[in-house]
Amino acid sequence: MFFASDNAGPAHPQIMQRVMEANEGYALPYGNDLLMDEVRAGIRTTFEAPDAEVFLVATGTAANALALASYCQPWQVIFCSEVSHIEEDECNAPEFFAGAAKLKLIATDDKMTPDALRAAIARRAPDDVHTAQRGPVSITQVTERGSVHGLEELRALTGVAKEFDLPVHMDGARFANAIVALGCSAADMTWRAGVDVVSFGGTKNGCMGVEAVVFFDPSKSWEFQLRRKRGAHLFSKHRYLSAQMAGYLQDDLWKKTAQLANDNCAHLAAGLRNKGAEFVHEPQANMIFTRFPVPVHHKLRDAGATYNLWSDDGDSVTARLVCDWSISRENIDRFLSHF
Amino acid sequence: MFFASDNAGPAHPQIMQRVMEANEGYALPYGNDLLMDEVRAGIRTTFEAPDAEVFLVATGTAANALALASYCQPWQVIFCSEVSHIEEDECNAPEFFAGAAKLKLIATDDKMTPDALRAAIARRAPDDVHTAQRGPVSITQVTERGSVHGLEELRALTGVAKEFDLPVHMDGARFANAIVALGCSAADMTWRAGVDVVSFGGTKNGCMGVEAVVFFDPSKSWEFQLRRKRGAHLFSKHRYLSAQMAGYLQDDLWKKTAQLANDNCAHLAAGLRNKGAEFVHEPQANMIFTRFPVPVHHKLRDAGATYNLWSDDGDSVTARLVCDWSISRENIDRFLSHF
Amino acid sequence: MFFASDNAGPAHPQIMQRVMEANEGYALPYGNDLLMDEVRAGIRTTFEAPDAEVFLVATGTAANALALASYCQPWQVIFCSEVSHIEEDECNAPEFFAGAAKLKLIATDDKMTPDALRAAIARRAPDDVHTAQRGPVSITQVTERGSVHGLEELRALTGVAKEFDLPVHMDGARFANAIVALGCSAADMTWRAGVDVVSFGGTKNGCMGVEAVVFFDPSKSWEFQLRRKRGAHLFSKHRYLSAQMAGYLQDDLWKKTAQLANDNCAHLAAGLRNKGAEFVHEPQANMIFTRFPVPVHHKLRDAGATYNLWSDDGDSVTARLVCDWSISRENIDRFLSHF
Amino acid sequence: MFFASDNAGPAHPQIMQRVMEANEGYALPYGNDLLMDEVRAGIRTTFEAPDAEVFLVATGTAANALALASYCQPWQVIFCSEVSHIEEDECNAPEFFAGAAKLKLIATDDKMTPDALRAAIARRAPDDVHTAQRGPVSITQVTERGSVHGLEELRALTGVAKEFDLPVHMDGARFANAIVALGCSAADMTWRAGVDVVSFGGTKNGCMGVEAVVFFDPSKSWEFQLRRKRGAHLFSKHRYLSAQMAGYLQDDLWKKTAQLANDNCAHLAAGLRNKGAEFVHEPQANMIFTRFPVPVHHKLRDAGATYNLWSDDGDSVTARLVCDWSISRENIDRFLSHF
């Protein structure tokens, strides 16, 4: 009954299979392996972006921090939500990689609104040398609260960025879960919606540890490669990153595992709803924020259930429950049985 | 006939086996997996250092840069050889992680001499605010030229550092190859020889991508963990790093693969010597710098041999040849047959 | 009728006199001038802090950024108010000098409350490697809204910091104006109130450009000197900084100029009150935030008055009016005559 | 008998006069003062560069570090001589401001040779992601050894930079002394010779503390202003920097003080030559490296002479003697009388 995160489950067999197969003979290091060609082609096809530049790193924080740094000067700010992963859970990595830039937080408990974003951008005068300058906008899809921006919502946010000629980054740690939830294409949710660079997450969705940074503007390619090496994120035996991503893309595995995770979550949500649990945010992908009585919490903990406790007011707790692709219906039902 | 680097061969089956076995059920993320307990215990036993703190990262540059940063203030210099990997091949990563510190190069074509190191340290007045201050000493073992510091040589260098109360880092990307060459213990080559922190390399010696940073001074533990996270080098699905390192330590696999690599190299060196090739540095581990005529170079290239061309004066070339654990005697003999 | 800032008026004649006198013969550079001995002794006497370490820089941003960096690791946050100068007006300088640390903003339109500060600190778990860690608290006295923390208010804030064992920085760009407003001693408002390091401002209060960074913990001395040099803020002809600060301390000039500024401001505030202007914050030192009708604004601008326009809702404007020591009563009365 | 540096003498009366005159009434802060218009025009005329952008800072290290940072990415190297001030005497400030870039030292005891510079640049492959990339070339004029690059020497060095399309910075801490020594124009020694940005020093040559950064490529203007503010080097009461520089440019005072310094040095050098002292470098501007017997050294020290001791081999010492504009012939002759 492990609902603490989608980074604790196993990798999908198809991923492991590709990694094992990749372990044959010699392969050029540092991203020059042949498998990377397959990955590049696969991403370009998936995103309908023949000129996209694609790079692999092993952690989501690396993907976000390096992608943002490519679009942010040290005297600029990155606009993001107050609850964003880059603000809350990356121990100043974005600031570090962006040369001591600032994160400018848009107050929200989930999604930024276009108006709040516009106001935050507008009040930073672009000709005032005292003010840290306007920089990129970062949007998390699925959000850190389990919500999914609809395509219109996305376009509204990127539209605000474009009003000010600012680049847009998407933190897609759960990119696949959003795609599956929306039923749209990867292109629709990125460059067609005004996104310039996306961290296309694999780790949380069935890989061992791989994320693709996809630039729709290929002019960033060489700078990114230098930033990646300087950040110590260029793998010598790169083939093992490539193999994971190749397996992830193969036959759209990434959508299948996301569908499994989202379905698991929907099953859990339906069960919780049945039991009368409240939702802090309406579950849309593979993450639930729900409130239930403290005694239930104790029963669940005693039974070995694992999840993040968000708050506890004495009467009830708020818990974050995340489903990955691998959790069994049995485990979910067992979890529900304690309510 | 791949002699370009030891980062291009496959991982050892025992490593892959452990990775596959690790891919079962849930595991706590971010280094809290149970396998990491095995790794920690294994490293402590291997290094006879029950208080050592052990952390895993996926690249050698990360291991070096994070370890050095833990011992270097931004207004200090890192003393290292002119040919060190941290200077030549890490695209300013050490400077980046150490907050814009400086690398102070000791002129040499291979090892630093104690006198040259002492002179470089001594001339930086510790009370002169204009001068970047004295910081850690970094020693590469095996060196970037394939040489191995003997234990007395090591102690002489670390002794100079200790004269000035400076910490010592060992870049052990090829640590195992040195241990096998010297026939000494890991403790002898590190803390008993005055080393404070070592990058214990796995990647080049049969792993997919894992390096252990081993601190003999456990007080650095928490700072290192924060630096690792901030550097985006903390793996969520950390078990796959642990599994590699666990497999690497199991039954001293790390020594076996290094022995294979060194033996392969000795076989190659003996063959080259037979053929009359000159050595720029006397081969001691798994890397050879050798000079041979340009026509031989052309024959080798035509036959598909891969190696790094160090220089070409028109008559003869200098080549770097590296053997990993996996290269076959047949391939080596085939290579030699072109001389 | 210049009310835009207290950084636009002339330096006090006593300051200029000391600078001219200092311009004789040779003086040791880089802070080793004899005048610096006078400054050091003067500050120690003024602050009743015989062990304090004192350093001069030429800008307030340098004083703040260097002082904070001395107490902040790159993976920490600096707690400060949402309207603080270090957040709003220093173009990421604090982040830059602190090695890419983060500013954590306490929501407020003026002073931080102890509860808000405590909540912000408490929610950052000190053992969570994902979260940027707790770092120093920075308090501006006089605040950026012209308010003065009373001694109890100060002690309440520093008390919260001490609950968590965090250091406290005071941005004292208008330190003198606060001292005069409170009628307390420099010691009362700093180390006796729990402040560890203060930027003791001279520039806005009658100097050409000099700020003292005063450490009550002398152990920070050498690190600060290295940080100052590395930040390019160590003056070779340091005597001209020393001379300004010596003149500033001489016969408590710093209190006299601050008294002049505060009196000017009180005169202006009384006049505005008479005219029916509203105050956004109750004026306590030398800065006023006031609201008046748009037609009055136009008259004032036409008459050549200079001040910062904070907002304009069509009917009325909010203006920031700052009085320095040098503004004449005639000018103030002329300004008031347009209401 | 003060020969330790040209940063220990007084400012020229004409400078002080302008500073005093500037101390009247209100002046717009942050470089918007009217005096800055005079400075800008004066620099443009002096350098025959009507489009040049001009900015003032207060220290030479700030001028160098900010100018270089404007032309250097964090993953690049700055090529400079082994004895350059930016390497030896700025406590990692260039690295800090350039975001952790590397200084790549050209071995020399004085000037870089074009061949050595070319070799250093050429060996950094521009397409190798492991190697820190080629960045700006920095030339010091007058050199740190008191030598002056002739115009052909300068053009040869900048020509090498241009072969590789690299920008060129001139550290002109003693710019005026070089101009006077060469008898050429400021344009000849900068943009006509291939220099892109120059630190035009005032501090060592009769100012209190001011340096102009002059960009011949005006496109760097806004970025530099942001870097200056972020580096805490933007003065609020900027008029006092402007006033110094205005006084420095007025009637070519800068050339007059440099002529005085060079003449003083020539007088000293002639005297030393008479006394049989050897020169380590042939004196060309206002700095001498000379060797004389230890007993003479003791006599000089006993008599109160102040200078930098470069080395002492027991028999003779090497001393650095610097003359500023203000030293009297009497003092020089008195110094010489001890030989």
Side-chain angles (χ1 to χ4, degrees), chain C residues 143-211:
Chain C
T143 73
E144 293 79 3
R145 295 295 179 263
S147 303
V148 178
H149 295 88
L151 293 184
E152 283 185 35
E153 284 178 309
L154 269 184
R155 286 190 296 254
L157 288 170
T158 65
V160 171
K162 299 309 169 196
E163 286 173 29
F164 298 93
D165 210 22
L166 300 179
V168 177
H169 164 254
M170 177 175 280
D171 174 353
R174 294 186 180 92
F175 186 91
N177 305 88
I179 285 285
V180 162
L182 293 179
C184 70
S185 74
D188 286 341
M189 205 168 83
T190 55
W191 61 269
R192 275 199 204 111
V195 172
D196 297 289
V197 62
V198 59
S199 306
F200 175 68
T203 310
K204 288 182 192 295
N205 191 32
C207 297
M208 295 194 297
V210 70
E211 314 275 312

